[in-house]
Amino acid sequence: MNLQIETLEATKLALIERTRKHSFLARCRAGTVTLDELKLMLVQQGLYSTYFTRYLCAMMANLPSNQEVLALAENLFEELGLAPDSPRPHYLIYRDMLEHFGLTLERARPLPGTRQLIDAMFANCRDPNPARGLGALCLGAEALVPAVYSDILAGFSACGAQPEELEFFRIHVECDDGHAETIRDIMVQLAAGDNDQIDQMLEAGRHLVDARLAFFSSIETAHHLAWVAAEPEAA
């Protein structure tokens, strides 16, 4: 079991490092990302995050017993605003953040990378083998959040945004490490004595990181195309 934990932790760190090497996040850390790019990211991330409780429920439906379902229920309750220390649904916190920046998800359309990310998460969470959904949600999402959201917060800070304007990101930096550990513990139990399950988890995590990188690349491409299209008007 210790070897399984070591394998999962090593893969988690490698996937975090790989994700943070993307130029979008590197520019967030360097303070060279633009506010327009960050606002575009907010809308696209909002489209992906809208489905988060459904990703989680789809994966929970494939868990082998109610014990694992109960362990993950805390994550679900926090998302829905039903936990004592998280009394407000996270989607409302995100909506308030969007409104502060003059944004809305109404009539917003997902970029190709956003659609790829949504489809990848649903595909893994709906897989009858729960190892796929667990790997996707842990290694490909929750485990990345503290590092990725910290980079995004740095980008917003460089653009003059105040911490209180970004509550959604701040609370997830603080709580998602615990969520990842909860899922990891279930992964270890599920994979006990079955290395094939570990391989499935790692593959799903890598699949989601590939999709996340495509998500960031889509944002950069869309922003560049919008900038090029606006150039003649500026001239």
Side-chain angles (χ1 to χ4, degrees):
M1 185 173 291
N2 287 337
L3 180 59
Q4 292 169 338
I5 293 176
E6 290 175 8
T7 299
L8 291 172
E9 286 298 309
T11 301
K12 179 188 81 171
L13 293 175
L15 292 177
I16 291 171
E17 181 180 4
R18 182 176 169 226
T19 304
R20 295 188 74 215
K21 284 182 178 178
H22 194 281
S23 54
F24 179 83
L25 293 179
R27 289 186 298 110
C28 283
R29 294 193 300 275
T32 57
V33 71
T34 68
L35 184 58
D36 283 343
E37 282 180 282
L38 289 168
K39 289 166 73 172
L40 176 58
M41 184 279 303
L42 281 183
V43 172
Q44 294 301 310
Q45 177 67 23
L47 293 174
Y48 162 77
S49 296
T50 293
Y51 298 104
F52 188 80
T53 55
R54 279 167 273 189
Y55 304 143
L56 188 56
C57 288
M59 187 271 289
M60 290 169 70
N62 293 314
L63 291 173
S65 76
N66 287 336
Q67 181 179 350
E68 290 86 5
V69 172
L70 183 61
L72 283 177
E74 180 181 345
N75 297 19
L76 183 60
F77 287 171
E78 285 187 7
E79 289 292 330
L80 295 174
L82 300 175
D85 58 347
S86 183
R88 195 152 186 259
H90 288 186
Y91 79 90
L92 292 180
I93 298 173
Y94 202 96
R95 185 194 65 186
D96 289 349
M97 180 172 63
L98 287 172
E99 289 178 351
H100 174 81
F101 289 98
L103 304 170
T104 179
L105 298 184
E106 292 183 16
R107 293 184 293 279
R109 298 178 64 85
L111 295 171
T114 307
R115 173 49 58 192
Q116 181 179 340
L117 183 59
I118 293 169
D119 290 347
M121 184 60 85
F122 268 130
N124 283 282
C125 289
R126 288 170 174 163
D127 194 293
N129 183 355
R132 301 289 308 187
L134 289 165
L137 278 170
C138 180
L139 299 173
E142 299 279 29
L144 303 179
V145 162
V148 170
Y149 282 10
S150 292
D151 288 348
I152 290 171
L153 285 169
F156 271 107
S157 178
C159 291
Q162 299 302 307
E164 60 271 17
E165 299 167 349
L166 301 159
E167 182 184 2
F168 178 89
F169 291 122
R170 290 192 299 106
I171 62 176
H172 282 77
V173 167
E174 295 167 1
C175 75
D176 277 28
D177 259 344
H179 291 176
E181 289 175 5
T182 298
I183 301 175
R184 186 205 64 189
D185 290 344
I186 297 173
M187 292 163 74
V188 170
Q189 294 170 15
L190 184 67
D194 188 350
N195 288 332
D196 287 343
Q197 291 291 68
I198 285 286
D199 291 341
Q200 290 293 316
M201 295 167 186
L202 302 185
E203 183 180 322
R206 295 184 185 111
H207 183 199
L208 261 295
V209 167
D210 287 344
R212 174 58 73 175
L213 296 176
F215 169 85
F216 288 134
S217 293
S218 267
I219 290 167
E220 290 185 324
T221 299
H223 178 262
H224 176 71
L225 291 175
W227 180 81
V228 170
E231 276 292 281
E233 297 178 11

